[in-house]
Amino acid sequence: MASVIIAGVGSYAPEKVLTNHDLSKMVDTSDEWIYTRSGIRERRIAADDEACSDLAVKAAQSALADAKINASEIDLLIVATASPDTPLPSTACYVQHKLGVPAHATCFDIAAACSGFLYALEIGYGQLLTNRYKRALIIGAEKLSSVTDWKDRTTCVLFGDAAGAVVLTKVPQPNIGILGSDLGADGEFADNLYIPAGGSKCPASQKSVEDRGHFIRMNGREVFKSAVRVMETVAREMMEQHNLTPDQISLVIPHQANIRIIEALAANLKVPMDRVYVNLDRYGNTSSASIPLALDEARRAGRVKPGDLMLLVAFGAGLTYGATLIRW
Ligand code: UT7
C-alpha cells in the first residue's frame, strides 16, 4: 500500500520578541511566576500590518522550498487557525492568492484550536490516500496577539504568534510517512477556553467590546487537568494501535502550551524528556502553529532522522485533542 509522506517542512516566527520582563511592565506579573508556572521566557508578536495569512505564507514558502515543489503544483490547501484574517472568507483563500496556488485547488480553514494542525494533517492524509488530490499544503498559523486580552495576566503571558507548514505527497512505498492518527473532541469542556463574542451567539456590539468579549477567556486549571488526561490517553491509544512501546518512539512533539503539562505527559508515558521536543520557552503557546513550528526546528536541528518514529500530540479549545504517528 502507498504512503503519504511529509515532503517538506517550514515555519516562520515574527521578528518582535516580547519577554516576560516586558510583560511585567504591562500587567501585575513577573518573569519568575511565568517561567515557573509555564516554562515560557519570551514569545514573538506579529507587526500591526502582519495578518495570520502573512505568517502562513512565509511558513508555506519555506515548506515548499524544502519539498522542492512549486505553489502551482498544490491542489489542496488547508489552514488551521483560531485567529483568521477575517471571519469571512477563509484565511486559506488569502494564502492561496498570495502564494499563487492555482484556482482549481481546494482551499479551506479548519477550526480545531491548538489541535487544528493535527486535524488538518489527518484530512490531507486521507484525501491524498484516496487519490483525489496529489499535493497538499497543510498550515498551522496564528496571530494570537490579536485575540489576547493584554489586560488579563492569567492569559496574556501564555500566547504568541507564529506559523508552521508541511507539504504532503504520496509515495509508492508502504509503512512510511503518516502511519495513522487518532483525533477526538469533548464539547462538554467548550466553555473552559473560548472567545465569547464575535460569532452568531454574541455578535460584535459596543457592549461586546466594552466587556472585552473578543478576547480569549480561559479556566487555566481545568484546561491543565484535561490536557494531561487527554494527551496521555490519545498518545497511549496511538501506540497500542500500532503495537509500539514508548521506547520505540524517537521523538515526541507535544503541543507547546505549558512545560508542566509536557513533563506530566512524558512522565505518565515513561518517555524521558530528552526524547520530547520543547521550544515553548522561546515562543509560548502558538496554538495550531506550535507542532509544525517545533517539527521544523527539530528537523533542522538534526533531531529527526530517516526511519525515526515520531509521535505528535495535541490538545486545545473544544476540548479537541489528537495524536499522529509518523515514520520519517
Ligand atoms: O493550548 C491550550 C491553552 N491553555 C493551556 O494550556 C492552559 C493550561 N493551564 C495552565 O497552563 C496553567 O493553569 C496556568 C499557567 C494558566 C496557570 O498556572 P496555575 O499553576 O494553574 O496557576 P493558577 O491559575 O492556579 O493561579 C495561581 C495564582 C493565582 O493567585 P491566588 O488565587 O493563588 O492568589 C492567580 O491569580 O497565580 C495568580 N496568577 C498570576 N500571578 C502572577 C495568575 N496569573 C498570574 C500571572 N502573574 N501572570
Side-chain angles (χ1 to χ4, degrees), residues 33-81:
W33 191 97
I34 302 170
Y35 187 66
T36 52
R37 298 282 175 144
S38 72
I40 300 165
R41 286 271 190 220
E42 60 187 42
R43 68 289 292 143
R44 302 295 182 92
I45 303 294
D48 288 344
D49 62 356
E50 250 180 335
C52 176
S53 64
D54 297 310
L55 311 185
V57 163
K58 287 188 175 145
Q61 283 167 333
S62 162
L64 287 165
D66 187 41
K68 298 184 178 58
I69 284 175
N70 197 285
S72 61
E73 298 173 88
I74 296 295
D75 52 5
L76 175 63
L77 195 176
I78 310 177
V79 176
T81 185

Side-chain angles (χ1 to χ4, degrees), residues 185-194 222-223 226 229-230 316-319:
D186 195 341
E188 186 190 338
F189 300 105
D191 290 346
N192 284 338
L193 179 50
Y194 71 129
E222 287 306 314
V223 174
S226 300
R229 177 174 51 82
V230 296
L319 170 89

